[in-house]
Amino acid sequence: MSDSLWGYQPSSGHTAGADLIGYSVEATDGSIGKVDKHSDEVGSAYLLVDTGVWIFGKDVLLPAGTVKRIDAADRKIYVDLTKEQVRDSPEFDRHRQADDPGYHEQLSAHYLPFRIM
């Protein structure tokens, strides 16, 4: 079940290989930052979001399954999370690999309860 969290939803409009760096990321209640890095790897797809001053420069890793919609024309990604849910997420440690299985388990435990199937 948590594996589906690490892949883009078919309805998101994601195109494999698309460069999402610099896209704005929008929570259900407003902007949370910009994409700093991303991965399309099957079973391990994610967005690394730089929240800037919004949360004092905290970086967060969002599993691709949280992406509701990608608007390539406006360069915006809409996630099915609130600002609070993102703010309360485990902080991304740049010394850890983004594809670290232990870190994925920690994130899955945080985000799965919010995921609407």
Side-chain angles (χ1 to χ4, degrees), residues 16-99:
D19 184 6
L20 303 176
I21 294 173
Y23 276 46
S24 295
V25 182
E26 300 287 325
T28 57
D29 55 352
S31 179
I32 57 170
K34 292 194 179 291
V35 176
D36 190 39
K37 183 179 176 182
H38 64 95
S39 169
D40 289 343
E41 187 175 330
V42 176
S44 187
Y46 63 83
L47 301 173
L48 178 58
V49 180
D50 178 355
T51 62
V53 295
W54 180 68
I55 316 177
F56 307 109
K58 178 178 176 178
D59 291 325
V60 292
L61 195 76
L62 300 180
T66 63
V67 174
K68 186 174 184 178
R69 182 171 61 93
I70 298 172
D71 184 336
D74 285 340
R75 295 181 50 85
K76 287 187 179 182
I77 298 173
Y78 297 87
V79 295
D80 205 11
L81 300 165
T82 65
K83 286 181 174 184
E84 182 178 6
Q85 290 166 338
V86 174
R87 181 178 56 241
D88 293 344
S89 71
E91 184 169 0
F92 179 70
D93 179 352
R94 288 199 177 260
H95 298 292
R96 252 177 135 168
Q97 291 292 343
D99 57 358

Side-chain angles (χ1 to χ4, degrees), residues 84 106 117:
E84 182 178 6
Q106 187 181 12
M117 298 299 210

